[in-house]
Amino acid sequence: MGNKNNKQLTLQEKWAADIKAFEKGATWKVSFQQCETCEYFVSGNAKNCLQYIQPAQKPTYVLSAEKECPEFKHKSVIKICPKTKHEEQLLGGIFGFCVGDALGVPVEFASREKLKTDPLQEMRAYGTHHQHFGTWSDDTSMTLCLMESLTKGFSLKDVANVFCKFYYEKHWTPHNEVFDIGNTTLKAIEGMKRGIEPVECGGRQESDNGNGSLMRVLPLAFYLRHTEYVKKIAIIEEVSSLTHSHPRSKLACIFYVEMSINLFRNDKFDAFRNTADFINIYCDRDYHNEFSYFDRILKGVISLVGENEIRSTGYVIDSLEAALWAFMTTDNYKDAIFKAINLGGDTDTIAAITGGWAGIYYGIHSIPDNWVQCLARKNDIYKLIREFDSITYL
């Protein structure tokens, strides 16, 4: 154990120290990332800003960084201007995924009961992982790693190398730190590092069916949108198998990618039906034994069940059902994300999965701009999306 005297103070502890200093005539020094990136921030006196001239005006929940400030306006704005429907969907899908992830991170593992008393309705910080506003998890990191690899063409070995770079070199992390990664994914990456054939690294047991491959396959929807079904299914299977090789996880990835592709050109209810038909027709031979686990999805009844019948754990079926339920029972990006997160449990991953679909379907401009603006490494993400969009898809 380290020296307890060197432990990092929480924001609340820093504020408490500032209160004592303020009472003796000092100015408020403590601030946090969102304030420091806001154009209304007053340097040197963190409790005041151009919107809250009097200290007493600044809401307590803003001072403690529990919720986002309603007056927040980023001083370094990224302007996103899609010129085509494809760009609108690509930007919406990827940024929608990243934002959903960041929104879910602070309340990951919170119970549904707790969130009912204080439902998430805004961007928050700190919380479960004590991270800044706009911080995303390994879900986004590995999604961006896959995108980066695909800009060079499809190579399973290269995808594996970039995944290793993520874990061992902190590549595509929001703040040069890996703070959240599943055990199955970690074991697989360790196998890749030891030189095991990438496709052999993923967990094959029924107990390995976490959502660790489902959470990162969205870029394949854009890359494979025009690919014939045999090759498309094979590539999705291989990419899932890097970390999760059980048939259940692979089928969940196939469903997610195919649903995303169908959202490019269909009403979401038609997209849902078309995806279920695709699974029934093209996956029956290899995955028939798994169909019973997807029963509520393949029969098209998942959107009809009540919230108390939706589980929001890290189990791949629960995550897929929860994301589909949240997306299908709302009519805009914001409501879909809030509905996904306020289920509790694996909030970041379920919100990210939901956000990918909602971002594709409703477009980049459906995502509240302040959420995009305070997203960690937003410029790097935008640059990667542009690079990804310039390649020739399969």
Side-chain angles (χ1 to χ4, degrees):
M1 296 179 64
N3 186 339
K4 65 180 180 179
N5 295 322
N6 294 328
K7 85 177 186 70
Q8 182 179 2
L9 296 178
T10 67
L11 190 67
Q12 286 74 18
E13 290 170 332
K14 291 177 182 178
W15 275 116
D18 247 15
I19 290 173
K20 292 181 180 179
F22 182 74
E23 291 171 347
K24 296 178 180 179
T27 57
W28 291 80
K29 295 297 185 183
V30 176
S31 62
F32 57 96
Q33 189 188 49
Q34 191 178 45
C35 279
E36 292 169 356
T37 59
C38 180
E39 69 173 43
Y40 302 125
F41 178 60
V42 177
S43 179
N45 197 345
K47 194 167 184 180
N48 294 349
C49 78
L50 297 180
Q51 292 298 97
Y52 301 107
I53 303 301
Q54 298 298 320
Q57 293 178 339
K58 204 164 190 178
T60 302
Y61 64 79
V62 174
L63 294 177
S64 60
E66 293 174 350
K67 299 180 181 180
E68 80 181 293
C69 178
E71 304 298 335
F72 173 73
K73 188 174 182 181
H74 207 290
K75 63 184 178 184
S76 179
V77 174
I78 182 173
K79 294 184 179 180
I80 300 175
C81 303
K83 298 178 181 179
T84 65
K85 183 179 180 180
H86 166 71
E87 289 182 0
E88 177 82 17
Q89 292 176 324
L90 174 60
L91 290 162
I94 302 303
F95 271 113
F97 182 98
C98 301
V99 167
D101 185 9
L103 285 164
V105 162
V107 293
E108 186 179 16
F109 310 130
S111 69
R112 192 170 303 182
E113 291 70 26
K114 180 179 180 180
L115 287 170
K116 283 189 181 298
T117 64
D118 182 24
L120 186 135
Q121 298 176 326
E122 66 288 300
M123 181 74 78
R124 298 184 184 180
Y126 297 96
T128 304
H129 299 287
H130 202 66
Q131 297 291 323
H132 289 304
F133 280 87
T135 297
W136 25 269
S137 74
D138 60 320
D139 303 33
T140 293
S141 292
M142 298 189 75
T143 296
L144 299 177
C145 284
L146 176 59
M147 282 185 68
E148 179 188 291
S149 181
L150 291 174
T151 62
K152 297 171 278 186
F154 178 65
S155 163
L156 208 60
K157 184 165 288 189
D158 186 73
V159 177
N161 288 339
V162 182
F163 284 175
C164 288
K165 194 176 177 183
F166 150 67
Y167 183 71
Y168 290 102
E169 301 177 33
K170 313 302 183 283
H171 184 60
W172 276 119
T173 55
H175 307 299
N176 199 37
E177 174 191 14
V178 177
F179 63 86
D180 185 24
I181 187 170
N183 289 332
T184 303
T185 298
L186 176 56
K187 289 178 183 177
I189 292 177
E190 289 174 340
M192 297 171 200
K193 185 70 172 178
R194 293 196 304 270
I196 297 174
E197 190 68 26
V199 77
E200 300 297 326
C201 289
R204 300 172 181 274
Q205 303 304 311
E206 189 166 20
S207 59
D208 293 322
N209 279 310
N211 54 26
S213 60
L214 178 64
M215 73 183 194
R216 58 172 168 78
V217 294
L218 180 60
L220 292 178
F222 299 94
Y223 190 71
L224 302 173
R225 61 188 301 170
H226 300 305
T227 305
E228 55 89 22
Y229 78 92
V230 174
K231 188 172 185 178
K232 175 168 55 179
I233 289 173
I235 289 176
I236 298 169
E237 289 171 332
E238 287 184 327
V239 172
S240 175
S241 293
L242 287 171
T243 58
H244 294 70
S245 195
H246 190 277
R248 199 167 307 156
S249 289
K250 291 192 285 188
L251 185 58
C253 289
I254 294 168
F255 183 94
Y256 186 65
V257 171
E258 186 62 22
M259 176 73 176
S260 302
I261 291 172
N262 277 308
L263 288 172
F264 295 150
R265 54 183 180 271
N266 293 299
D267 167 88
K268 67 178 178 179
F269 296 99
D270 289 336
F272 185 11
R273 284 190 290 269
N274 292 344
T275 304
D277 288 344
F278 179 93
I279 298 296
N280 280 309
I281 293 170
Y282 297 116
C283 299
D284 181 67
R285 185 188 67 182
D286 294 330
Y287 293 97
H288 183 79
N289 291 339
E290 294 296 326
F291 278 15
S292 62
Y293 297 96
F294 293 79
D295 189 60
R296 297 199 296 185
I297 294 175
L298 296 181
K299 288 183 177 177
V301 299
I302 191 65
S303 60
L304 304 178
V305 305
E307 181 185 292
N308 62 338
E309 297 180 70
I310 297 295
R311 296 176 293 273
S312 49
T313 75
Y315 173 46
V316 69
I317 297 297
D318 288 351
S319 296
L320 184 63
E321 284 193 340
L324 190 58
W325 179 82
F327 174 57
M328 297 300 295
T329 57
T330 52
D331 60 9
N332 60 80
Y333 178 88
K334 194 173 182 179
D335 287 347
I337 293 299
F338 289 159
K339 198 164 190 177
I341 291 174
N342 288 318
L343 289 170
D346 201 355
T347 52
D348 58 333
T349 300
I350 293 172
I353 295 167
T354 305
W357 278 335
I360 289 171
Y361 192 63
Y362 300 113
I364 182 64
H365 293 303
S366 69
I367 307 170
D369 188 57
N370 267 356
W371 294 351
V372 174
Q373 299 306 334
C374 75
L375 198 64
R377 298 187 63 180
K378 61 187 178 186
N379 290 294
D380 292 331
I381 295 171
Y382 190 36
K383 181 180 179 181
L384 178 61
I385 293 172
R386 287 299 190 193
E387 184 178 357
F388 181 67
D389 192 32
S390 69
I391 67 173
T392 302
Y393 301 143
L394 287 184

